[in-house]
Amino acid sequence: MKFPFRTKALASAAALCLALALAGCSAGSMKTVSEVTGNSTFQSAAVPSASPDTSTAAPGDVTEDTHFDARDLKWDAAAETTLTLADSGSLAEGANAAAVSVSGGTVRISAAGTYRVSGTLGDGQLVVDAPAKDPVRIILDGAQIASSTGPAILVNEADEVLLHLAQGSSNAVSDAPDYADTGADAPNAAIYSMADLAIAGEGALTVEGNYQDGIASKDGLVLDSGRVTVAAADDGIKGKNYVLVLGGNCTVTAAGDGISSTNDTDADRGWLHQYAGQLTVSAGDDGLKAQTALSISGGTAVVSDSTEALEAADIHISGGTVNATASDDGLNTAGAASPLGGGGGAEQAGDVHLAISGGSVTVNAEGDGLDSNGDIAISGGQIVVNGPAAGGNGSIDANGDVAVTGGVLAAAGSDSMAQGLSGSSTQGGLQVSLGSAVPAGTVIQVADSAGKLVATFVASKPTENLVYSAKDIENGRSYTISTGGSAEVAAGLGAGSLDGAVPVATVTAGQYASGLGGGPGGR
């Protein structure tokens, strides 16, 4: 099931300089699950999102090295061990029944095998203590486990553990609000694994992390399939070495970070990559966070509430749909930068990168929309940024180049820290200062000198400044910006009509002003 580790090479701009540790925000204060969800009884993490994304990716499509393999999902049903949980005495029957021991509410698995688990432990633990070379497969088939002393599922040792959610089953685990062992390296999650962990299957799993975290692996973590709902008093889901998302529908409500990869010492670890499926996150701190590289190449990622929605040293979006809402920065790449004062490129660029080459990205941020302590490179996809209405931040903020060579970019926000595109951009673009903020819902139209409508944008927040780039924009040509008229848009961009629109500015494409309001390219 596990193959020897090979030094991996991420085939994307997000792979650059993975040795840099992420300079992130401090963790949010821990809360009870009821405080996080607003419910005294946790039922599901109520996070608004689009229809669930049911796409999946095959393990063989993954470019990074992980512990997970398609063979993990195949086994001989005749070799299963049946484990029935009960407070009055749990019972194991079948091939590896001798490897299961029961002591009060603690049920312990001590050898490799496939274990089908059902029943209820009102106060107990399912513990894996297998040899380091042994893979363990646990099929959750109507299992309910609650612990009053620590994790509900605890993996002390194994080669790797697969939690397979049986088709049609509903499973739930919850841990104690206070742990008996509170040492620095002690377990701190409702599902806690010292070994590689994967979650798959067509069933459902609900996790209450009452103490700190919901699901945590001190090695790698793979979300392959299944419906997983997590509410946590601190972080929702953590994989130390990596988090790989191949499919499924995962909903997280957390007082701290939503989903994160935390290894900040190994250059080729600490990454998070979503290939397919749906992630829906509401977080008190960062939504999706990786210490090295955060990549989205498919599926849907919705961060409905966060301090910073996506954060890593390198971020690369090449496909899928991203909807990111943040009280601070929307997409943030941070690393080693030497502060020289000011913003909007006034700091020395660090060796970190934000690259978007495909997909659909929508950002709603009170801080910077697209924020990089290094470069921003856009070569494809549709990117809509509804940035800050107040001063001190911008819809685009890069200490290095903002290079646009393809795709569609519409970045709206305040004038005070507005930043345009760099000379390295090969695709035309324009920037307009509207002079004063127009209300949310205002239709902003862009027409060429012949009166042909080339872009229609609807701002979701008060807007003073708009940067727009698409293949239809030619640098050096004049464009008229109007407000009003009609629009039919998705995520802020779409078709419109100039009927009833009022011209407010004329700009020359390729001319940009940074943080000056009505400078060149403005009104």
Side-chain angles (χ1 to χ4, degrees):
M1 294 171 76
K2 179 184 283 187
F3 296 93
F5 176 78
R6 307 184 305 274
T7 303
K8 70 180 178 66
L10 291 177
S12 70
L16 299 175
C17 300
L18 294 179
L20 293 175
L22 179 65
C25 297
S26 59
S29 58
M30 284 178 283
K31 300 181 180 181
T32 65
V33 167
S34 61
E35 288 174 323
V36 172
T37 62
N39 298 318
S40 58
T41 302
F42 174 66
Q43 295 178 333
S44 64
V47 181
S49 68
S51 299
D53 189 315
T54 58
S55 59
T56 58
D61 295 335
V62 176
T63 61
E64 304 91 346
D65 284 320
T66 75
H67 70 280
F68 191 65
D69 183 82
R71 290 173 293 180
D72 294 355
L73 304 178
K74 298 178 181 179
W75 65 90
D76 181 3
E80 291 181 9
T81 299
T82 300
L83 178 51
T84 305
L85 305 176
D87 291 327
S88 58
S90 299
L91 178 65
E93 298 177 298
N96 291 329
V100 179
S101 62
V102 179
S103 177
T106 300
V107 179
R108 193 176 307 273
I109 296 171
S110 59
T114 299
Y115 303 83
R116 184 175 292 270
V117 181
S118 62
T120 299
L121 282 179
D123 184 7
Q125 287 183 314
L126 179 60
V127 179
V128 177
D129 263 321
K133 62 178 176 49
D134 282 12
V136 175
R137 182 184 292 109
I138 297 173
I139 305 168
L140 296 178
D141 192 0
Q144 315 286 321
I145 307 172
S147 173
S148 65
T149 58
I153 298 177
L154 173 62
V155 179
N156 286 320
E157 188 171 28
D159 177 45
E160 60 179 294
V161 172
L162 170 68
L163 295 181
H164 192 277
L165 311 179
Q167 185 170 9
S169 70
S170 294
N171 308 277
V173 299
S174 62
D175 65 352
D178 299 296
Y179 278 24
D181 184 355
T182 58
D185 296 323
N188 66 343
I191 298 176
Y192 187 89
S193 178
M194 293 295 295
D196 287 318
L197 179 67
I199 299 176
E202 300 305 319
L205 173 64
T206 298
V207 179
E208 289 185 33
N210 294 297
Y211 176 55
Q212 290 184 8
D213 301 341
I215 301 172
S217 168
K218 298 295 286 184
D219 211 322
L221 175 62
V222 175
L223 301 174
D224 175 76
S225 52
R227 299 184 305 280
V228 179
T229 303
V230 177
D234 192 16
D235 298 336
I237 297 176
K238 294 198 303 189
K240 181 178 180 180
N241 285 341
Y242 53 81
V243 176
L244 172 66
V245 183
L246 295 176
N249 186 352
C250 183
T251 300
V252 176
T253 302
D257 295 334
I259 303 175
S260 62
S261 181
T262 62
N263 189 327
D264 59 1
T265 58
D266 297 326
D268 53 0
R269 291 312 199 193
W271 54 265
L272 189 162
H273 194 151
Q274 180 181 4
Y275 281 85
Q278 175 150 329
L279 302 178
T280 305
V281 175
S282 175
D285 200 355
D286 299 327
L288 304 179
K289 182 175 182 177
Q291 289 294 328
T292 52
L294 196 167
S295 304
I296 298 176
S297 53
T300 300
V302 176
V303 179
S304 64
D305 190 22
S306 68
T307 300
E308 292 185 330
L310 275 63
E311 182 170 89
D314 289 307
I315 296 175
H316 183 205
I317 300 171
S318 59
T321 300
V322 178
N323 195 328
T325 300
S327 62
D328 193 0
D329 300 334
L331 276 57
N332 180 45
T333 64
S338 301
L340 301 176
E347 295 183 357
Q348 179 177 323
D351 199 1
V352 297
H353 310 270
L354 169 57
I356 301 174
S357 59
S360 173
V361 180
T362 305
V363 177
N364 187 331
E366 297 304 316
D368 296 323
L370 305 180
D371 183 15
S372 176
N373 284 1
D375 299 329
I376 296 176
I378 296 173
S379 58
Q382 175 178 293
I383 303 95
V384 174
V385 180
N386 289 283
N393 292 286
S395 57
I396 301 172
D397 182 11
N399 295 339
D401 282 349
V402 180
V404 178
T405 59
V408 178
L409 169 67
S414 65
D415 264 340
S416 65
M417 298 292 289
Q419 183 175 353
L421 310 185
S422 301
S424 54
S425 296
T426 59
Q427 179 170 277
L430 56 85
Q431 181 183 28
V432 59
S433 170
L434 301 173
S436 60
V438 298
T442 299
V443 179
I444 302 174
Q445 314 272 18
V446 179
D448 63 18
S449 57
K452 178 185 176 182
L453 185 63
V454 295
T456 296
F457 174 75
V458 178
S460 68
K461 300 161 69 175
T463 297
E464 293 179 301
N465 196 285
L466 175 67
V467 174
Y468 180 78
S469 177
K471 64 180 182 179
D472 295 331
I473 302 298
E474 296 183 35
N475 285 342
R477 296 194 62 179
S478 177
Y479 293 85
T480 298
I481 314 300
S482 303
T483 58
S486 62
E488 184 174 344
V489 301
L493 282 173
S497 170
L498 289 169
D499 291 345
V502 178
V504 294
T506 299
V507 299
T508 300
Q511 296 183 7
Y512 304 100
S514 295
L516 298 177
R523 184 174 171 176

